[in-house]
Amino acid sequence: MVHLFLSKPDWNWDGGDNSVKQRISLLNDLESMILSLVVDHSRSEARLWLCKDVSGISSLSHMQQCELFLTLLRTSSQKRDLAAQILQMIFEKQPRKAGSILAKKSDMLEEFFRGSTRRILLWFSCFSGTSDMEHRKGAKAISQFAFMNRDICWEELEWKGKHGQSPAMVATKPHYFLDLDVEQTVENFLENVPEFWSSREFADTLKDGDILFLDMNFFINMFLRLMYKEDMEEIWKIINEFLMEESFSSLCSHLLITLNESELCVFLDLLTNFLDSNTKPKNSGDMCDYLEVILPRLNGMDSMDELLLLNTVVNRRRQLVQLLQEDEHREEKTKIKDIVQKICSLPENPNSLVPLIKEYSKKKVINLIKLLGLQSWALHYFMSEGYWASEDWESLFNSNGIRFRHAGKHELLHDKRLIDDSDSDSRRKKKAKHRKKRRKSTRDDRYVDDFADFDFEYNRMGFQSKESYWLLSTDGYSTSWSSEMENRGLQTTGGPQSVGDGGSGTSKNRHVMEERRSATTDDRRSHNR
């Protein structure tokens, strides 16, 4: 974000109409190219990016997120698909809640077992072979019900031996149930013992929800019927509780991908109702905060294309650069590269965007956000392609008051004593002991030694001493930056966002960045530099 004011701008500066018009024209050309690339060729991918970034919004309360998704569940044209996904989440994360519903509707499970040998055996064959172990699941239900109601169902028990077992015999030797022909017995119960399926014994074995995992799709469809045809209050209650308890991020990650584009627009419209239109970006470094600024300023969702563009250039800069590396986008890459070079070759001035901001802040704010986002991405791409030489970056640092020092000129890096092969083992052990002791020191002490320790980190990372490595310090941060001359990119994995957001993350770029937050006084930071 270097061009977007590293140093404080002069708001009285006006760069002349020609420079502003030229920049706007080039940014509009860049917009057209990116719009074509993202919307026409990679739309599904851009939608996934948007859904993932929407899930990062953190300003909604649990009550608001519950209201948002419940509204969709009751009004959306895709409400059944959405409800099915929510039910699956409940089954997987909180099966007991669904099990409590099944226990009240246990008679409906006749349909589940009828004609399915696999389901019957999986659920009802869990008889124990030892006296100190209980029967489990459906086996427990059959044994308990059979003893309690032996006058009406004992004859329906089918045994594998030559003769059946009496209740008295099985009561003293429960393992005899292992000789039960489970499949035939359950089929007999389905035909002749309807009381079993609504019994307390059978219902109790359903409460833990384990039965859901025998065939989750069956139970999802069963619950959907109870929700939308019978409007069963208990199911809506557990869904309401789940939507209150689950995180917004998790709900979005699982549910938004089930929506088609028109329903995604409906969701975003509903979401906008819960966002403050006066929200300003936070200084948290979380790029998802920008969606909270963008969404309320899009009038209606008549411009999904524009939203996909905005989210891509603001939140998905790296992915956009990576997209350009694909073979099928060579033509677009050539055109975009040409536009970016022109944008970044305009006369540089710390206040170069002031007229642009002044002009568009009086109009539709979303247009200003878009142009600044495009300008930011243009710089990001420019950096990732490594167009500038080391001297150009140093000039940029100097003009913005970013203090730096060449790693190649650091005196400790050239101290022959550090690399003298004739050093004795005792001397190396002493240094190791010193480093170990230093690691145990306080946080403040370690920051004082940031630059003094850099020689060891530098060598471990496999660098060679070059003039193009810098030690930067700005706003209380100490950050090591590296840029291989001309043909290599620049990226940070840490450090203040105002310094830079470069690098595409592609294999073309090699970059190592390390951030340390300095908690020392200005004098100590000055000493480090």
Side-chain angles (χ1 to χ4, degrees):
M1 305 281 259
V2 180
H3 282 271
L4 305 185
F5 305 129
L6 285 179
S7 56
K8 185 177 180 180
D10 178 6
W11 293 104
N12 295 318
W13 187 80
D14 112 21
D17 292 339
N18 289 335
S19 64
V20 175
K21 290 179 180 178
Q22 188 178 6
R23 186 179 295 275
I24 291 175
S25 176
L26 288 170
L27 290 174
N28 287 335
D29 292 341
L30 181 61
E31 176 188 357
S32 298
M33 290 302 304
I34 295 178
L35 197 61
S36 174
L37 177 67
V38 170
V39 173
D40 297 336
H41 298 96
S42 305
R43 191 179 191 91
S44 59
E45 193 169 4
R47 277 184 54 199
L48 286 176
W49 294 340
L50 176 62
C51 291
K52 184 173 182 179
D53 294 330
V54 166
S55 71
I57 292 177
S58 58
S59 61
L60 269 67
S61 67
H62 290 288
M63 183 67 73
Q64 288 174 326
Q65 74 182 34
C66 179
E67 182 181 346
L68 172 61
F69 285 104
L70 278 178
T71 302
L72 273 182
L73 281 176
R74 294 188 180 277
T75 62
S76 169
S77 62
Q78 287 184 270
K79 57 189 177 184
R80 291 181 68 88
D81 293 339
L82 196 67
Q85 189 63 40
I86 292 177
L87 288 171
Q88 182 169 336
M89 292 176 70
I90 294 174
F91 291 174
E92 292 174 350
K93 296 187 175 188
Q94 301 176 357
R96 288 185 176 275
K97 288 191 174 183
S100 66
I101 303 293
L102 290 176
K104 296 178 181 179
K105 293 288 185 178
S106 62
D107 58 308
M108 295 183 69
L109 268 68
E110 286 187 67
E111 176 189 353
F112 180 68
F113 289 108
R114 193 178 299 278
S116 177
T117 300
R118 172 184 168 275
R119 293 172 182 171
I120 289 174
L121 294 179
L122 285 173
W123 190 250
F124 289 101
S125 295
C126 304
F127 289 105
S128 171
T130 59
S131 59
D132 58 342
M133 296 286 290
E134 275 193 341
H135 305 312
R136 296 182 299 110
K137 301 179 181 179
K140 182 178 181 180
I142 285 181
S143 64
Q144 289 181 341
F145 184 84
F147 280 119
M148 295 294 294
N149 302 275
R150 52 187 175 275
D151 55 326
I152 66 171
C153 74
W154 196 265
E155 294 301 319
E156 302 299 335
L157 300 179
E158 294 283 345
W159 302 92
K160 296 176 183 177
K162 294 181 180 180
H163 57 81
Q165 302 290 348
S166 67
M169 182 63 70
V170 177
T172 59
K173 298 181 179 180
H175 64 277
Y176 275 19
F177 269 115
L178 292 173
D179 293 330
L180 192 71
D181 185 334
V182 174
E183 181 181 359
Q184 188 59 54
T185 297
V186 173
E187 288 180 355
N188 290 346
F189 274 44
L190 286 168
E191 295 299 325
N192 305 316
V193 192
E195 297 88 350
F196 171 75
W197 303 101
S198 57
S199 68
R200 177 184 59 80
E201 290 81 8
F202 180 54
D204 285 347
T205 63
L206 305 175
K207 290 180 179 180
D208 61 7
D210 283 353
I211 197 170
L212 297 166
F213 298 96
L214 294 188
D215 190 335
M216 199 167 287
N217 286 333
F218 175 90
F219 290 107
I220 287 174
N221 290 326
M222 173 183 166
F223 273 59
L224 288 174
R225 291 197 302 272
L226 293 173
M227 283 176 64
Y228 291 112
K229 289 187 178 180
E230 299 186 23
D231 196 24
M232 187 174 179
E233 182 180 350
E234 288 89 342
I235 295 183
W236 286 104
K237 181 179 179 180
I238 66 171
I239 287 177
N240 186 83
E241 291 174 353
F242 181 76
L243 293 175
M244 286 285 289
E245 296 167 0
E246 193 70 3
S247 70
F248 183 72
S249 175
S250 175
L251 291 172
C252 287
S253 297
H254 286 85
L255 303 180
L256 297 191
I257 58 174
T258 67
L259 302 177
N260 60 34
E261 191 161 300
S262 61
E263 285 299 325
L264 181 58
C265 289
V266 172
F267 171 82
L268 294 173
D269 270 338
L270 292 171
L271 174 60
T272 301
N273 295 332
F274 298 106
L275 300 177
D276 184 357
S277 59
N278 296 317
T279 298
K280 296 181 180 179
K282 306 178 182 69
N283 293 321
S284 64
D286 186 353
M287 299 305 292
C288 296
D289 290 338
Y290 283 91
L291 275 176
E292 298 187 45
V293 177
I294 292 171
L295 286 173
R297 290 169 172 80
L298 283 174
N299 297 325
M301 294 311 296
D302 58 334
S303 54
M304 174 59 79
D305 292 356
E306 187 171 31
L307 179 56
L308 293 175
L309 169 74
L310 280 166
N311 188 65
T312 299
V313 298
V314 171
N315 288 331
R316 293 289 169 168
R317 294 186 294 273
R318 297 177 190 274
Q319 288 81 357
L320 181 54
V321 173
Q322 291 171 344
L323 200 60
L324 288 174
Q325 310 306 320
E326 298 177 4
D327 291 340
E328 61 266 34
H329 301 314
R330 287 180 179 177
E331 183 178 348
E332 291 89 346
K333 178 180 180 179
T334 300
K335 294 178 180 178
I336 287 176
K337 183 182 291 188
D338 180 60
I339 296 172
V340 167
Q341 284 179 317
K342 291 178 180 177
I343 292 174
C344 294
S345 297
L346 291 173
E348 188 54 49
N349 186 294
N351 301 296
S352 59
L353 292 178
V354 168
L356 185 67
I357 294 176
K358 282 183 176 180
E359 179 173 340
Y360 276 85
S361 60
K362 300 173 184 176
K363 301 178 182 179
K364 192 177 179 181
V365 176
I366 201 68
N367 287 339
L368 174 60
I369 296 174
K370 179 171 60 179
L371 287 176
L372 292 178
L374 288 165
Q375 172 68 43
S376 175
W377 183 83
L379 174 67
H380 178 94
Y381 187 56
F382 189 76
M383 294 170 73
S384 71
E385 291 296 307
Y387 290 124
W388 275 6
S390 176
E391 294 77 11
D392 296 318
W393 291 113
E394 292 172 16
S395 175
L396 180 67
F397 300 152
N398 283 324
S399 64
N400 285 280
I402 301 175
R403 285 162 288 187
F404 68 95
R405 175 174 199 164
H406 282 283
K409 294 179 180 179
H410 198 290
E411 59 183 13
L412 289 182
L413 294 177
H414 297 285
D415 191 336
K416 292 183 180 180
R417 290 174 298 173
L418 293 179
I419 57 174
D420 188 350
D421 292 335
S422 63
D423 282 348
S424 65
D425 290 340
S426 60
R427 185 172 179 179
R428 285 195 295 271
K429 290 178 180 178
K430 182 177 179 181
K431 288 183 178 180
K433 182 178 180 180
H434 176 65
R435 289 197 298 273
K436 184 176 181 181
K437 182 178 180 180
R438 187 164 56 233
R439 283 196 295 271
K440 294 180 179 179
S441 63
T442 64
R443 186 172 180 82
D444 285 356
D445 289 339
R446 284 190 285 113
Y447 288 127
V448 172
D449 291 333
D450 276 352
F451 287 164
D453 277 345
F454 184 71
D455 54 323
F456 299 104
E457 296 167 10
Y458 190 90
N459 291 330
R460 282 201 304 269
M461 291 185 287
F463 290 159
Q464 296 178 358
S465 179
K466 292 185 179 180
E467 296 296 313
S468 56
Y469 294 104
W470 306 291
L471 302 179
L472 303 183
S473 180
T474 178
D475 298 331
Y477 283 80
S478 298
T479 310
S480 56
W481 277 37
S482 66
S483 175
E484 292 194 27
M485 307 280 284
E486 305 275 349
N487 62 341
R488 293 293 185 184
L490 182 65
Q491 179 183 9
T492 177
T493 59
Q497 198 157 7
S498 60
V499 173
D501 189 30
S504 66
T506 65
S507 60
K508 179 177 180 180
N509 301 300
R510 305 225 180 255
H511 33 268
V512 178
M513 303 295 302
E514 179 178 337
E515 169 197 317
R516 294 189 181 95
R517 176 61 173 157
S518 175
T520 61
T521 63
D522 289 340
D523 288 340
R524 282 180 173 176
R525 288 201 302 269
S526 181
H527 170 73
N528 285 340
R529 291 188 290 272

